[in-house]
Amino acid sequence: MKAPSTVPKPEFPADADTKEYAASLDAVDPLRGFRDEFIIPSKANIASKKLAKPGLSEEPCIYFCGNSLGIQPKATAKYLEAQLDTWSSIGVGGHFTDLEGSPLRQWQLLSEQAAESMSKIVGAAPEEVAAMGTLSMNLHLLLASFYKPTSDKHRILMDWKAFPSDHYAIESQIAWHGLDPDQSMLLVGPDEGEYEVTTEKILSYIDNHASEIALVLLPGIQYYTGQLFDIKRITEYAQSLGIIVGWDLAHAYGNVELKLHEWNVDFAVWCTYKYGNSGPGGIAGLYVHERHGQVDYSAGRDSPKFRHRLTGWYGGDRAERFKMDNKFKPIPGAGGFQISNPSAIDLTSLCAALSVFDKTSMSEIRKKSVLITAYLEHLLLKDSTDETRQFQIITPSNPEARGAQLCLLLKPGLLQQVAQRLQEIGVVCDKREPGVVRVAPAPLYNSFTEVWTFVENLKQALKE
């Protein structure tokens, strides 16, 4: 039996399908000012094949693709300019010098600046978060530390439709240990004809295979269906059976409220370029619970005891890093899992995006997300039935089981005509073969009027 929702689903009046009503929601939106923090691509530019400056005076497109790549914050140019000026003016001194008037700390501390802001987004202590690498690279690094298979406990419980990079990472890690992925990958999926993987089914899989499972690794939000998993409950149950639990938060970071420390999650990884708006391929993040990042010097300063991980110079204690004595003394916490000197340019772009998040909270972002996603759902379903509708919403209707994304499974043969129509009118959203359109109204820069306009055009496209 599903637990009752503690997040009430918004209700809308009879005139909610009017543009005037959408505008009234925008007028009272407490986050409406954040739209001005971003550069929204113009309709003219997204249709052009030539490199162009942002069309700030031109009609903006409707950008519902933040679940693939967030748009550029206006702060990005300012932050990158400061970074380039630092590099050009003081060269190597940028590693150790805090410059007055710069929004950035010295390069050696820049990853800590990013981690401090990211920790508020994921619900962790700053010391439990590190800004480094890419999501897949970070996943490999943490699997190297947390996946310790034995002859009895060797299986990894994962999503039946995991994002390919996660699937490949898990498959290769299993093979690295000389095991057979077909035997060690345990896939949990929805019941026949369904798209939601219930928490109860996941818990039953954990229960039935507890003696074989070495690790649970699931997505916070399933990329294809948009389902938000019950991270707290699944983590607690698996850990009660002695199982390590990790999460891929690629689609959850900057999207939904997370409380990784409070939920006792062992580890997590995420990218920052989707709802986090750090730029294409932007530097990623990872979380390691404080208990796994402890460093014990009881046996002497030169004999630290710590959780095994793949080590690198940049994970070493900053106070002793430049002694170059090849005696690894890890930074306590997630910082000790760092490998290499991170790209200051990438960190700058991330810090620029985080400066926007620093002006609000995930609680406020989530409030609007619940409302704007419910409004999108209401308009999509209004005045139609399951029999007459040309699509099925495969994302859960429960606000607690989704983020800022609805996935529409179109009837066969409709995807290309709908995608073409949306492109022609300046709507950017993601499509997944053979028939899914993923629509993601991001609370920081999308409006209720855009939702109304999108639905009007989608319904027209479905009639053509």
Short mmCIF file of all heavy atoms in Angstrom, two decimals, residues 68-114:
data_model
loop_
_atom_site.label_atom_id
_atom_site.label_comp_id
_atom_site.label_asym_id
_atom_site.label_seq_id
_atom_site.Cartn_x
_atom_site.Cartn_y
_atom_site.Cartn_z
N SER A 68 17.61 18.56 -19.60
CA SER A 68 18.75 18.14 -20.42
C SER A 68 19.90 19.13 -20.29
O SER A 68 21.05 18.76 -20.06
CB SER A 68 18.35 18.01 -21.89
OG SER A 68 17.58 16.85 -22.09
N LEU A 69 19.60 20.42 -20.46
CA LEU A 69 20.60 21.47 -20.29
C LEU A 69 19.90 22.76 -19.87
O LEU A 69 19.04 23.26 -20.58
CB LEU A 69 21.37 21.72 -21.60
CG LEU A 69 22.39 22.87 -21.53
CD1 LEU A 69 23.54 22.52 -20.59
CD2 LEU A 69 22.92 23.21 -22.92
N GLY A 70 20.26 23.26 -18.71
CA GLY A 70 19.71 24.53 -18.25
C GLY A 70 20.27 25.69 -19.07
O GLY A 70 21.33 25.59 -19.69
N ILE A 71 19.54 26.81 -19.07
CA ILE A 71 20.00 27.97 -19.84
C ILE A 71 21.03 28.77 -19.04
O ILE A 71 21.26 28.53 -17.85
CB ILE A 71 18.81 28.85 -20.25
CG1 ILE A 71 18.01 29.33 -19.03
CG2 ILE A 71 17.90 28.10 -21.22
CD1 ILE A 71 16.87 30.26 -19.39
N GLN A 72 21.66 29.70 -19.72
CA GLN A 72 22.81 30.41 -19.14
C GLN A 72 22.38 31.53 -18.18
O GLN A 72 21.61 32.41 -18.54
CB GLN A 72 23.66 31.01 -20.26
CG GLN A 72 24.94 31.67 -19.78
CD GLN A 72 25.73 32.32 -20.89
OE1 GLN A 72 26.17 33.46 -20.79
NE2 GLN A 72 25.91 31.58 -21.99
N PRO A 73 22.91 31.50 -16.96
CA PRO A 73 22.68 32.64 -16.06
C PRO A 73 23.46 33.87 -16.55
O PRO A 73 24.55 33.74 -17.12
CB PRO A 73 23.25 32.15 -14.71
CG PRO A 73 23.34 30.66 -14.84
CD PRO A 73 23.61 30.40 -16.28
N LYS A 74 22.91 35.04 -16.32
CA LYS A 74 23.62 36.26 -16.71
C LYS A 74 24.92 36.41 -15.92
O LYS A 74 25.87 37.05 -16.39
CB LYS A 74 22.71 37.47 -16.50
CG LYS A 74 21.54 37.52 -17.46
CD LYS A 74 20.63 38.71 -17.18
CE LYS A 74 19.47 38.75 -18.17
NZ LYS A 74 18.51 39.87 -17.89
N ALA A 75 24.96 35.82 -14.73
CA ALA A 75 26.17 35.92 -13.91
C ALA A 75 27.35 35.19 -14.52
O ALA A 75 28.51 35.49 -14.18
CB ALA A 75 25.88 35.35 -12.52
N THR A 76 27.11 34.25 -15.43
CA THR A 76 28.20 33.43 -15.97
C THR A 76 29.26 34.30 -16.64
O THR A 76 30.46 34.11 -16.41
CB THR A 76 27.65 32.39 -16.95
OG1 THR A 76 26.69 31.57 -16.29
CG2 THR A 76 28.77 31.52 -17.49
N ALA A 77 28.86 35.23 -17.48
CA ALA A 77 29.82 36.08 -18.18
C ALA A 77 30.64 36.91 -17.20
O ALA A 77 31.86 37.05 -17.35
CB ALA A 77 29.09 36.98 -19.17
N LYS A 78 29.99 37.44 -16.18
CA LYS A 78 30.68 38.26 -15.17
C LYS A 78 31.72 37.42 -14.42
O LYS A 78 32.86 37.85 -14.22
CB LYS A 78 29.65 38.83 -14.19
CG LYS A 78 30.26 39.53 -12.99
CD LYS A 78 29.19 39.91 -11.98
CE LYS A 78 29.81 40.44 -10.69
NZ LYS A 78 28.79 40.73 -9.66
N TYR A 79 31.33 36.22 -14.03
CA TYR A 79 32.24 35.36 -13.28
C TYR A 79 33.41 34.91 -14.14
O TYR A 79 34.57 34.89 -13.70
CB TYR A 79 31.49 34.14 -12.74
CG TYR A 79 30.80 34.38 -11.41
CD1 TYR A 79 29.85 35.37 -11.25
CD2 TYR A 79 31.10 33.59 -10.30
CE1 TYR A 79 29.21 35.57 -10.03
CE2 TYR A 79 30.48 33.77 -9.09
CZ TYR A 79 29.54 34.77 -8.95
OH TYR A 79 28.92 34.98 -7.74
N LEU A 80 33.12 34.53 -15.40
CA LEU A 80 34.20 34.10 -16.28
C LEU A 80 35.16 35.24 -16.59
O LEU A 80 36.38 35.04 -16.70
CB LEU A 80 33.62 33.53 -17.57
CG LEU A 80 32.98 32.14 -17.45
CD1 LEU A 80 32.29 31.76 -18.74
CD2 LEU A 80 34.03 31.08 -17.08
N GLU A 81 34.63 36.44 -16.73
CA GLU A 81 35.49 37.60 -16.97
C GLU A 81 36.43 37.82 -15.79
O GLU A 81 37.63 38.09 -15.97
CB GLU A 81 34.64 38.85 -17.21
CG GLU A 81 35.46 40.08 -17.55
CD GLU A 81 34.61 41.30 -17.83
OE1 GLU A 81 33.41 41.28 -17.54
OE2 GLU A 81 35.16 42.30 -18.35
N ALA A 82 35.90 37.69 -14.56
CA ALA A 82 36.74 37.83 -13.37
C ALA A 82 37.82 36.74 -13.34
O ALA A 82 38.97 37.00 -12.97
CB ALA A 82 35.88 37.76 -12.11
N GLN A 83 37.44 35.54 -13.74
CA GLN A 83 38.41 34.44 -13.75
C GLN A 83 39.51 34.70 -14.77
O GLN A 83 40.71 34.52 -14.48
CB GLN A 83 37.67 33.14 -14.08
CG GLN A 83 38.54 31.90 -14.13
CD GLN A 83 39.20 31.60 -12.81
OE1 GLN A 83 40.30 32.07 -12.55
NE2 GLN A 83 38.52 30.83 -11.97
N LEU A 84 39.14 35.11 -15.97
CA LEU A 84 40.14 35.38 -17.00
C LEU A 84 41.02 36.55 -16.62
O LEU A 84 42.24 36.54 -16.91
CB LEU A 84 39.43 35.62 -18.34
CG LEU A 84 38.67 34.43 -18.92
CD1 LEU A 84 37.93 34.83 -20.19
CD2 LEU A 84 39.61 33.27 -19.21
N ASP A 85 40.45 37.57 -15.98
CA ASP A 85 41.25 38.71 -15.54
C ASP A 85 42.25 38.29 -14.45
O ASP A 85 43.38 38.79 -14.41
CB ASP A 85 40.35 39.83 -15.01
CG ASP A 85 39.60 40.55 -16.12
OD1 ASP A 85 39.97 40.38 -17.30
OD2 ASP A 85 38.63 41.28 -15.82
N THR A 86 41.82 37.38 -13.58
CA THR A 86 42.73 36.87 -12.55
C THR A 86 43.91 36.15 -13.19
O THR A 86 45.08 36.38 -12.86
CB THR A 86 41.99 35.91 -11.60
OG1 THR A 86 40.91 36.61 -10.97
CG2 THR A 86 42.92 35.37 -10.53
N TRP A 87 43.59 35.28 -14.13
CA TRP A 87 44.63 34.49 -14.81
C TRP A 87 45.60 35.40 -15.56
O TRP A 87 46.83 35.24 -15.50
CB TRP A 87 43.93 33.51 -15.74
CG TRP A 87 44.82 32.58 -16.50
CD1 TRP A 87 46.13 32.26 -16.24
CD2 TRP A 87 44.47 31.85 -17.68
NE1 TRP A 87 46.59 31.37 -17.16
CE2 TRP A 87 45.61 31.09 -18.06
CE3 TRP A 87 43.30 31.74 -18.43
CZ2 TRP A 87 45.60 30.26 -19.18
CZ3 TRP A 87 43.29 30.90 -19.53
CH2 TRP A 87 44.43 30.18 -19.91
N SER A 88 45.03 36.39 -16.28
CA SER A 88 45.88 37.24 -17.11
C SER A 88 46.70 38.22 -16.28
O SER A 88 47.80 38.61 -16.69
CB SER A 88 45.03 38.02 -18.13
OG SER A 88 44.12 38.89 -17.47
N SER A 89 46.21 38.60 -15.11
CA SER A 89 46.89 39.64 -14.33
C SER A 89 47.91 39.09 -13.34
O SER A 89 48.97 39.70 -13.13
CB SER A 89 45.87 40.50 -13.58
OG SER A 89 45.13 39.71 -12.66
N ILE A 90 47.64 37.93 -12.73
CA ILE A 90 48.57 37.43 -11.72
C ILE A 90 49.03 36.00 -11.97
O ILE A 90 49.76 35.43 -11.16
CB ILE A 90 48.01 37.56 -10.29
CG1 ILE A 90 46.73 36.72 -10.12
CG2 ILE A 90 47.75 39.02 -9.95
CD1 ILE A 90 46.21 36.71 -8.68
N GLY A 91 48.58 35.38 -13.07
CA GLY A 91 49.07 34.06 -13.44
C GLY A 91 48.91 33.04 -12.32
O GLY A 91 47.84 32.90 -11.73
N VAL A 92 50.00 32.35 -12.00
CA VAL A 92 49.96 31.27 -11.03
C VAL A 92 49.52 31.75 -9.65
O VAL A 92 49.03 30.98 -8.83
CB VAL A 92 51.33 30.56 -10.95
CG1 VAL A 92 52.37 31.47 -10.29
CG2 VAL A 92 51.23 29.23 -10.23
N GLY A 93 49.67 33.04 -9.41
CA GLY A 93 49.24 33.60 -8.12
C GLY A 93 47.76 33.46 -7.87
O GLY A 93 47.30 33.58 -6.74
N GLY A 94 47.00 33.17 -8.94
CA GLY A 94 45.56 32.99 -8.76
C GLY A 94 45.22 31.80 -7.89
O GLY A 94 44.13 31.75 -7.31
N HIS A 95 46.17 30.87 -7.77
CA HIS A 95 45.92 29.71 -6.91
C HIS A 95 45.86 30.08 -5.43
O HIS A 95 45.22 29.38 -4.64
CB HIS A 95 47.03 28.66 -7.09
CG HIS A 95 46.93 27.88 -8.36
ND1 HIS A 95 47.66 28.18 -9.48
CD2 HIS A 95 46.18 26.80 -8.68
CE1 HIS A 95 47.37 27.32 -10.44
NE2 HIS A 95 46.47 26.46 -9.99
N PHE A 96 46.53 31.18 -5.06
CA PHE A 96 46.72 31.45 -3.64
C PHE A 96 46.25 32.83 -3.21
O PHE A 96 46.40 33.19 -2.03
CB PHE A 96 48.21 31.32 -3.28
CG PHE A 96 48.85 30.09 -3.85
CD1 PHE A 96 49.71 30.18 -4.95
CD2 PHE A 96 48.59 28.84 -3.32
CE1 PHE A 96 50.30 29.04 -5.49
CE2 PHE A 96 49.17 27.69 -3.86
CZ PHE A 96 50.02 27.80 -4.95
N THR A 97 45.67 33.62 -4.12
CA THR A 97 45.35 35.01 -3.83
C THR A 97 43.86 35.27 -3.95
O THR A 97 43.26 35.03 -5.00
CB THR A 97 46.10 35.95 -4.78
OG1 THR A 97 47.50 35.63 -4.78
CG2 THR A 97 45.91 37.41 -4.36
N ASP A 98 43.26 35.79 -2.87
CA ASP A 98 41.88 36.27 -2.93
C ASP A 98 41.92 37.73 -3.37
O ASP A 98 42.52 38.58 -2.68
CB ASP A 98 41.20 36.14 -1.57
CG ASP A 98 40.92 34.69 -1.19
OD1 ASP A 98 40.53 33.92 -2.07
OD2 ASP A 98 41.10 34.33 -0.01
N LEU A 99 41.32 38.05 -4.49
CA LEU A 99 41.37 39.40 -5.04
C LEU A 99 40.14 40.20 -4.64
O LEU A 99 39.00 39.74 -4.79
CB LEU A 99 41.47 39.34 -6.56
CG LEU A 99 42.77 38.75 -7.13
CD1 LEU A 99 42.71 38.72 -8.66
CD2 LEU A 99 43.98 39.55 -6.67
N GLU A 100 40.38 41.39 -4.16
CA GLU A 100 39.28 42.28 -3.79
C GLU A 100 38.44 42.61 -5.03
O GLU A 100 38.97 42.90 -6.10
CB GLU A 100 39.85 43.56 -3.18
CG GLU A 100 38.80 44.53 -2.67
CD GLU A 100 39.39 45.78 -2.03
OE1 GLU A 100 40.60 45.75 -1.71
OE2 GLU A 100 38.64 46.75 -1.86
N GLY A 101 37.12 42.52 -4.90
CA GLY A 101 36.23 42.83 -6.00
C GLY A 101 35.87 41.64 -6.86
O GLY A 101 35.02 41.75 -7.74
N SER A 102 36.51 40.50 -6.62
CA SER A 102 36.19 39.31 -7.39
C SER A 102 35.11 38.49 -6.68
O SER A 102 35.13 38.37 -5.46
CB SER A 102 37.44 38.43 -7.57
OG SER A 102 37.10 37.20 -8.19
N PRO A 103 34.17 37.90 -7.44
CA PRO A 103 33.17 37.03 -6.82
C PRO A 103 33.72 35.65 -6.49
O PRO A 103 33.00 34.82 -5.94
CB PRO A 103 32.08 36.94 -7.89
CG PRO A 103 32.83 37.07 -9.18
CD PRO A 103 33.96 38.04 -8.90
N LEU A 104 35.01 35.43 -6.81
CA LEU A 104 35.60 34.10 -6.69
C LEU A 104 36.72 34.07 -5.66
O LEU A 104 37.47 35.04 -5.51
CB LEU A 104 36.16 33.66 -8.05
CG LEU A 104 35.15 33.59 -9.19
CD1 LEU A 104 35.87 33.52 -10.53
CD2 LEU A 104 34.24 32.39 -9.02
N ARG A 105 36.82 32.95 -5.00
CA ARG A 105 37.94 32.74 -4.10
C ARG A 105 39.16 32.29 -4.90
O ARG A 105 39.06 32.00 -6.09
CB ARG A 105 37.59 31.67 -3.05
CG ARG A 105 36.38 32.04 -2.19
CD ARG A 105 36.02 30.93 -1.22
NE ARG A 105 37.01 30.83 -0.13
CZ ARG A 105 36.95 29.93 0.85
NH1 ARG A 105 35.97 29.06 0.89
NH2 ARG A 105 37.87 29.91 1.80
N GLN A 106 40.32 32.26 -4.25
CA GLN A 106 41.52 31.76 -4.91
C GLN A 106 41.26 30.37 -5.46
O GLN A 106 40.45 29.61 -4.94
CB GLN A 106 42.68 31.75 -3.92
CG GLN A 106 42.41 30.90 -2.69
CD GLN A 106 43.51 31.00 -1.65
OE1 GLN A 106 44.38 30.16 -1.60
NE2 GLN A 106 43.45 32.05 -0.83
N TRP A 107 41.98 30.02 -6.52
CA TRP A 107 41.68 28.77 -7.21
C TRP A 107 41.80 27.56 -6.30
O TRP A 107 41.05 26.60 -6.44
CB TRP A 107 42.62 28.61 -8.42
CG TRP A 107 42.46 29.71 -9.42
CD1 TRP A 107 41.36 30.50 -9.61
CD2 TRP A 107 43.44 30.15 -10.36
NE1 TRP A 107 41.58 31.41 -10.61
CE2 TRP A 107 42.86 31.23 -11.09
CE3 TRP A 107 44.74 29.76 -10.66
CZ2 TRP A 107 43.54 31.89 -12.11
CZ3 TRP A 107 45.42 30.42 -11.67
CH2 TRP A 107 44.83 31.48 -12.39
N GLN A 108 42.74 27.58 -5.37
CA GLN A 108 42.93 26.44 -4.49
C GLN A 108 41.72 26.21 -3.59
O GLN A 108 41.50 25.11 -3.11
CB GLN A 108 44.18 26.65 -3.63
CG GLN A 108 44.60 25.40 -2.88
CD GLN A 108 45.85 25.60 -2.05
OE1 GLN A 108 46.54 24.64 -1.73
NE2 GLN A 108 46.16 26.83 -1.68
N LEU A 109 40.89 27.25 -3.40
CA LEU A 109 39.71 27.14 -2.53
C LEU A 109 38.41 27.21 -3.31
O LEU A 109 37.33 27.21 -2.72
CB LEU A 109 39.73 28.26 -1.48
CG LEU A 109 40.94 28.31 -0.55
CD1 LEU A 109 40.83 29.50 0.41
CD2 LEU A 109 41.08 27.02 0.23
N LEU A 110 38.52 27.25 -4.63
CA LEU A 110 37.31 27.45 -5.44
C LEU A 110 36.37 26.25 -5.38
O LEU A 110 35.15 26.40 -5.39
CB LEU A 110 37.72 27.74 -6.88
CG LEU A 110 36.68 28.39 -7.79
CD1 LEU A 110 36.08 29.64 -7.16
CD2 LEU A 110 37.30 28.73 -9.15
N SER A 111 36.93 25.04 -5.29
CA SER A 111 36.06 23.87 -5.19
C SER A 111 35.30 23.88 -3.88
O SER A 111 34.14 23.45 -3.81
CB SER A 111 36.87 22.58 -5.33
OG SER A 111 37.86 22.48 -4.32
N GLU A 112 35.93 24.41 -2.82
CA GLU A 112 35.23 24.53 -1.54
C GLU A 112 34.11 25.58 -1.61
O GLU A 112 33.06 25.41 -1.00
CB GLU A 112 36.21 24.90 -0.43
CG GLU A 112 37.00 23.74 0.12
CD GLU A 112 38.23 23.42 -0.73
OE1 GLU A 112 38.37 23.99 -1.82
OE2 GLU A 112 39.05 22.58 -0.28
N GLN A 113 34.34 26.66 -2.37
CA GLN A 113 33.29 27.65 -2.56
C GLN A 113 32.08 27.02 -3.22
O GLN A 113 30.93 27.25 -2.79
CB GLN A 113 33.81 28.81 -3.43
CG GLN A 113 32.75 29.88 -3.74
CD GLN A 113 33.29 31.04 -4.56
OE1 GLN A 113 34.49 31.30 -4.56
NE2 GLN A 113 32.42 31.75 -5.25
N ALA A 114 32.32 26.22 -4.25
CA ALA A 114 31.21 25.55 -4.94
C ALA A 114 30.54 24.53 -4.03
O ALA A 114 29.31 24.43 -3.99
CB ALA A 114 31.73 24.87 -6.21
#
